[in-house]
Amino acid sequence: MKKITLLISMLLLCLFKANAQEPKFVSKEPTNRNVLIEELTGRTCGYCPSGQKIVNDIIKNNPGRVFTINIHSQSSLSPTSYPNLNTLKGADIAKAFSDGSLPQAVVNRSTEKAVGLYTTADRWAPMTNEQLQQAAECNIAGQVEINKETRLAKITVEVYYTADSKVDLNYLTVVMLQDSIMGFQNGAIDNPEQVVGDQYCHMHVYRNTITEKWGDEISPTTAGTLITKTFKYTIPESIGDPNGVEVDLDNVHFLAFVTEQQGVSPMKSFPILNVCKLQDK
């Protein structure tokens, strides 16, 4: 009788463990990579709206598969007048990938440097299509719950490996973006969909990284592994100094992505294995 009871207990324990490993958000089915386009941009850059229009068109042509971040880094092309969209962490990302000219973009961090809009004939779309056709080592999904009274965001991210990563240690990054920031933009007429009256509607603007700047370490990175990470982040009322921008809770969203490895000089994580927009609860 004791043996039967012990056997039943062991079976129940195994069943509990199996159920505990089942993901809540992320798919376990092999997929191709989604794509993150990090566009380095500026408010007084006359060609930057053309770049944003190209990225918007790429997103429209690949619904649910392509995401973008507009990164402003203080310079003559990205001033601190209102709305000051610059951030120190955004400047670090730009420094790691850019040669200083704008607009430029990094597609899944698959190139050593960002690719300029006009340096080579419209490479952003072909680079995106190439990435979309590659098998992803992992899937990523999750959810964000924001308490509007306390401004506390509770973030859950799941990563499921459908294949082995090339390295034993990968990096998970979560970033907060903001849409619908109204303000001046040189060359706005080249992207008319974002022109509202005499102002430009800035979209997908980088606001902060919730994890470590270049991502939190995650492992193991072998097929069949489910990794679940939770974060708490109090969303500030404004970002930027001077002339900061109010952080409108109705216009923020969060992206999560996994990068394969981390470099040393300059410090950056690359390439991106997969990316998603986190669901709102």
Side-chain angles (χ1 to χ4, degrees), residues 154-167:
K154 296 180 180 178
I155 304 165
T156 303
V157 182
E158 293 178 343
V159 179
Y160 184 82
Y161 282 86
T162 57
D164 293 346
S165 173
K166 294 178 181 178
V167 293

Side-chain angles (χ1 to χ4, degrees), residues 35 43 46 57 86 90 131 139 144 148 169 190 192 205 209 226 228:
V35 171
R43 289 192 298 115
D57 289 343
N86 303 309
Q131 289 291 310
N139 296 331
V144 178
K148 291 191 175 181
L169 197 64
D190 292 329
V205 179
T209 300
L226 173 66
T228 303

Side-chain angles (χ1 to χ4, degrees), residues 113-220:
K113 285 292 184 181
V115 174
L117 181 62
Y118 298 112
T119 54
T120 308
D122 193 11
R123 286 186 57 200
W124 296 357
M127 290 171 68
T128 298
N129 292 334
E130 180 182 348
Q131 289 291 310
L132 288 170
Q133 294 169 20
Q134 293 189 21
E137 294 88 339
C138 61
N139 296 331
I140 184 169
Q143 178 180 266
V144 178
E145 179 181 5
I146 299 176
N147 183 319
K148 291 191 175 181
E149 291 185 1
T150 64
R151 303 183 70 89
L152 180 67
K154 296 180 180 178
I155 304 165
T156 303
V157 182
E158 293 178 343
V159 179
Y160 184 82
Y161 282 86
T162 57
D164 293 346
S165 173
K166 294 178 181 178
V167 293
D168 296 333
L169 197 64
N170 290 165
Y171 294 85
L172 170 65
T173 303
V174 178
V175 297
M176 183 178 75
L177 312 182
Q178 185 172 345
D179 291 332
S180 301
I181 300 174
M182 305 304 296
F184 171 78
Q185 175 63 58
N186 193 15
I189 194 173
D190 292 329
N191 187 17
E193 288 186 2
Q194 287 180 224
V195 175
V196 180
D198 61 352
Q199 292 192 309
Y200 191 74
C201 183
H202 294 272
M203 301 292 287
H204 320 295
V205 179
Y206 174 85
R207 301 282 70 199
N208 200 7
T209 300
I210 313 308
T211 54
E212 291 292 325
K213 180 169 52 182
W214 296 113
D216 290 357
E217 296 180 355
I218 56 172
S219 66

Side-chain angles (χ1 to χ4, degrees), residues 185-281:
Q185 175 63 58
N186 193 15
I189 194 173
D190 292 329
N191 187 17
E193 288 186 2
Q194 287 180 224
V195 175
V196 180
D198 61 352
Q199 292 192 309
Y200 191 74
C201 183
H202 294 272
M203 301 292 287
H204 320 295
V205 179
Y206 174 85
R207 301 282 70 199
N208 200 7
T209 300
I210 313 308
T211 54
E212 291 292 325
K213 180 169 52 182
W214 296 113
D216 290 357
E217 296 180 355
I218 56 172
S219 66
T221 61
T222 52
T225 298
L226 173 66
I227 295 173
T228 303
K229 294 288 185 179
T230 57
F231 308 91
K232 291 183 179 180
Y233 172 64
T234 301
I235 301 173
E237 293 187 1
S238 67
I239 294 176
D241 184 25
N243 301 310
V245 175
E246 177 186 353
V247 182
D248 180 1
L249 298 182
D250 291 328
N251 280 302
V252 297
H253 61 277
F254 294 78
L255 300 182
F257 56 92
V258 173
T259 46
E260 183 178 83
Q261 57 189 304
Q262 198 169 93
V264 177
S265 180
M267 178 66 76
K268 58 185 176 183
S269 59
F270 63 94
I272 291 174
L273 303 182
N274 219 338
V275 59
C276 75
K277 180 179 179 180
L278 299 178
Q279 305 170 13
D280 296 324
K281 183 173 181 180

